Amino acid sequence: MNLQLVLDSIVAVCLICGALMSLAAAVGLLRFPDLMSRMHSATKPQVLGLLLMLTAIAIQLRSWSLVPLLVIAWIFQLLTSPVSAHMVGRSGYRTKHRHEELLKIDDLDQVVEAAAQYRAGEYRRAAEAGEKAEEAAAEQQDIALPDRDGPPENARFDDDESRH
Amino acid sequence: MMQIVLVVVSVILSLAAAGAIYRMARGPSLLDRVLAADVLLAIIAAGLATDMAINRHLENLMLMVALSVIGFIGSVTVARFVSDKR
Amino acid sequence: MRKRNSLRQELPLIIWLVIVWGALWSDFSVGNLLFGALIAVGITQLLYLPPVELGGRFNVLHGAGLTLNFLYQVVAGSIEVAYLALAKGPRLQNSVVAVRLRSSSDLVVTATGHIISLIPGSLVVEVDRSTSTLYLHCINVVSEDGADAMRATVRRIESRLIKTMGSKQELELIRNEPDQHPARSGEEGAS
């Protein structure tokens, strides 16, 4: 009987927290100033929200054979949600949704600009994708890590973080 | 106790859905609306999950998975065609 | 016509499909799994995809650490984004940060991008495959220090991923790294 109460409480907490994650997403949608920030609040808390909801279901039904199914439902969301967020973010960045006044640092600006100019010049080339990447890479050499003094090839080994 | 939880969760989810619908109606651009629709789908999925947890059944699970797939395909498709216009 | 993948390359995919099949039926009996395997082989032969180049190793211990760390960061990030929505709202400022990864394998770059995208507060806007650079949109990052912290986080995730499933060469890259510029990292910290 006592165990019942504990499990019920866990279910209640999971359900309410999961619902709160949805509410957080909606509040973010309403209050954030531009598309990109809205996207952060829209897609991400749902990952945790769904996990909590599925945990609640698993505890309520108390059957182990169900767990793989719920895990797979969650993994599918893990696999799909970044992809859709990336697609929306990518096209959002490249259209009118990029508000410069809201971006403090922007490392991508020049790369996209160069790629756009390049494409305007040689739009119909068959090897467009590869060339675009090279162009971006060439541009990248100059701006990728402006605070480093070495060439970028070395700069990527400089980080002292991996020491730990 | 479960009845109280059900009421609390319903209120929270309704508020969230209202917010998402407001953004969908208001949203300055197409992508905002798509994003809000995505959130609304997730809220509906959360409602279905709550129903399953409280009434102890599994009938909505496939519907939930289908909803998330629809949300995924929808937002990817729209984002794909709102293409580079700088 | 494209070259067919060998069965050994397809094996992880087939195993994954069989697990999905079993889970969907909530039935892991031998007969059901065998039938699932039959369907999985049929699907991979009929609708083949370009092979995913795996590193050829998988460390369960590091994988578990990665998963736990991931869950912790998802929880922390969700709370942070919810707090920002309530406290900062319209006054929020963001940054787009370029992060160079060390690995050049598609799998590790993709997985890193995925994990970064799933952790609230950061989002992959663009990927440059030739230099394996990720461009992240980071919420509430307003200074170079914040951007550096974000880069450090991403690289830590990448090194965990490589320890979990990277190839031997990538592992060497990670292992040699701290020794490569022992003096310079101090300067970097000071500047």
Side-chain angles (χ1 to χ4, degrees):
Chain A
M1 205 57 202
N2 205 3
L3 182 70
Q4 177 77 31
L5 190 66
V6 171
L7 287 180
D8 273 2
S9 321
I10 296 175
V11 169
V13 169
C14 282
L15 284 177
I16 290 177
C17 288
L20 282 177
M21 285 299 146
S22 292
L23 187 63
V27 170
L29 268 187
L30 290 179
R31 279 179 61 83
F32 282 149
D34 67 330
L35 176 78
M36 304 291 279
S37 345
R38 275 179 213 142
M39 208 150 46
H40 284 289
S41 79
T43 49
K44 310 313 170 43
Q46 309 290 356
V47 175
L48 182 58
L50 187 72
L51 177 65
L52 291 170
M53 292 275 177
L54 292 177
T55 314
I57 295 176
I59 295 174
Q60 272 290 60
L61 287 158
R62 298 201 182 95
S63 104
W64 284 109
S65 67
L66 194 61
V67 174
L69 182 55
L70 296 177
V71 169
I72 279 179
W74 192 55
I75 287 179
F76 273 142
Q77 204 211 7
L78 288 192
L79 290 177
T80 54
S81 109
V83 177
S84 62
H86 165 72
M87 290 297 289
V88 174
R90 186 176 184 279
S91 58
Y93 184 89
R94 290 180 175 234
T95 50
K96 60 192 173 179
H97 297 285
R98 196 175 63 97
H99 295 285
E100 301 203 13
E101 73 277 7
L102 294 172
L103 289 177
K104 273 279 188 182
I105 307 166
D106 195 346
D107 291 341
L108 183 56
D109 188 24
Q110 295 179 36
V111 180
V112 173
E113 204 61 62
Q117 278 169 13
Y118 183 83
R119 214 164 354 170
E122 302 187 46
Y123 191 70
R124 296 243 174 254
R125 296 241 335 215
E128 188 202 337
E131 303 266 331
K132 178 185 151 199
E134 279 168 28
E135 177 87 0
E139 194 68 29
Q140 168 68 18
Q141 301 277 325
D142 302 322
I143 61 145
L145 299 161
D147 49 335
R148 319 280 194 214
D149 37 16
E153 282 78 27
N154 297 331
R156 63 165 143 167
F157 297 112
D158 284 344
D159 214 72
D160 51 338
E161 185 47 47
S162 52
R163 188 171 290 277
H164 307 297
Chain B
M1 186 167 95
M2 279 303 149
Q3 290 311 309
I4 305 172
V5 173
L6 181 59
V7 171
V8 173
V9 170
S10 319
V11 170
I12 296 174
L13 287 182
S14 312
L15 284 177
I21 291 173
Y22 175 77
R23 177 53 74 195
M24 216 195 292
R26 173 84 196 285
S29 73
L30 183 64
L31 286 176
D32 282 304
R33 289 173 218 269
V34 170
L35 205 59
D38 219 14
V39 173
L40 191 61
L41 275 182
I43 292 170
I44 294 172
L48 291 174
T50 312
D51 176 47
M52 280 193 287
I54 289 183
N55 296 328
R56 302 186 184 213
H57 63 87
L58 272 180
E59 282 144 28
N60 299 340
L61 198 63
M62 288 305 135
L63 189 55
M64 263 177 75
V65 174
L67 271 185
S68 69
V69 170
I70 290 171
F72 169 67
I73 295 173
S75 48
V76 167
T77 313
V78 174
R80 177 73 187 79
F81 288 107
V82 183
S83 53
D84 310 357
K85 279 184 208 136
R86 266 185 84 178
Chain C
M1 201 165 196
R2 221 178 332 166
K3 198 170 124 285
R4 296 269 167 146
N5 309 324
S6 72
L7 198 66
R8 206 180 66 82
Q9 273 176 321
E10 298 274 19
L11 204 58
L13 180 62
I14 290 177
I15 290 173
W16 164 244
L17 285 174
V18 170
I19 291 174
V20 171
W21 177 262
L24 285 178
W25 287 102
S26 303
D27 175 11
F28 283 91
S29 64
V30 180
N32 194 30
L33 287 188
L34 274 180
F35 188 58
L38 209 66
I39 293 178
V41 171
I43 287 176
T44 47
Q45 290 308 305
L46 273 177
L47 311 163
Y48 50 89
L49 294 165
V52 177
E53 279 158 32
L54 296 173
R57 46 179 288 279
F58 189 86
N59 187 322
V60 179
L61 216 61
H62 282 297
L66 183 71
T67 313
L68 286 180
N69 186 268
F70 167 68
L71 283 177
Y72 164 73
Q73 291 206 45
V74 165
V75 173
S78 297
I79 293 170
E80 195 203 333
V81 170
Y83 168 76
L84 283 175
L86 288 172
K88 275 223 163 177
R91 284 171 290 117
L92 187 78
Q93 284 196 311
N94 308 311
S95 294
V96 175
V97 180
V99 187
R100 246 161 199 269
L101 299 180
R102 290 155 289 202
S103 163
S104 57
S105 104
D106 283 344
L107 180 68
V108 172
V109 173
T110 311
T112 311
H114 240 86
I115 292 177
I116 285 297
S117 285
L118 281 168
I119 293 170
S122 49
L123 182 88
V124 176
V125 179
E126 191 71 73
V127 184
D128 187 347
R129 241 180 102 184
S130 58
T131 55
S132 56
T133 306
L134 297 179
Y135 294 91
L136 309 174
H137 184 270
C138 308
I139 203 168
N140 201 26
V141 169
V142 290
S143 61
E144 274 301 329
D145 286 348
D148 279 343
M150 184 48 85
R151 291 191 184 108
T153 312
V154 176
R155 280 172 214 217
R156 197 164 24 192
I157 290 172
E158 191 206 7
S159 77
R160 274 174 190 272
L161 259 174
I162 290 177
K163 279 177 195 157
T164 306
M165 59 181 194
S167 63
K168 292 240 164 59
Q169 294 91 327
E170 287 162 346
L171 214 57
E172 286 298 312
L173 213 60
I174 295 285
R175 193 179 301 143
N176 290 336
E177 206 165 42
D179 310 320
Q180 240 171 9
H181 300 288
R184 283 208 51 186
S185 59
E187 294 168 26
E188 294 277 330
S191 64

